[in-house]
Amino acid sequence: MSTNSWPGAADLEAALERLLDAINQGRGPEVAAALAEVDRLTANLDRTAPARLRHFMAQRAYQKAQATLRGEPTEGHQPG
């Protein structure tokens, strides 16, 4: 099952991409804006979002959340 099958998945994945890119590039103002968007989207997660993704977002484990959204394995976990 794809983790992108719930409403808001594509928006969250794009926001995480912007956030992680801004962090990696050291663009402070963009980090703040992207983090605000990620926080807004995270606050709107509901039970239709995968539990593992909700956990990673609650822990601010953004790289693991991004991997989960992409269907990629995270440490010690194979998607599926």
Side-chain angles (χ1 to χ4, degrees):
M1 180 177 134
S2 169
T3 57
N4 287 329
S5 62
W6 51 273
D11 292 336
L12 181 56
E13 185 174 0
L16 284 169
E17 180 71 27
R18 285 189 299 276
L19 173 61
L20 294 172
D21 183 57
I23 290 170
N24 290 332
Q25 298 298 318
R27 297 186 312 255
E30 290 179 41
V31 170
L35 184 57
E37 179 68 3
V38 166
D39 285 345
R40 183 186 69 76
L41 292 167
T42 299
N44 291 324
L45 288 178
D46 62 19
R47 294 253 177 229
T48 61
R52 189 160 189 84
L53 176 66
R54 293 191 319 266
H55 168 75
F56 289 147
M57 294 306 295
Q59 299 299 312
R60 293 186 177 260
Y62 297 132
Q63 290 174 326
K64 289 181 181 181
Q66 184 180 50
T68 299
L69 283 163
R70 292 178 175 173
E72 298 169 354
T74 58
E75 292 177 22
H77 177 262
Q78 296 294 322

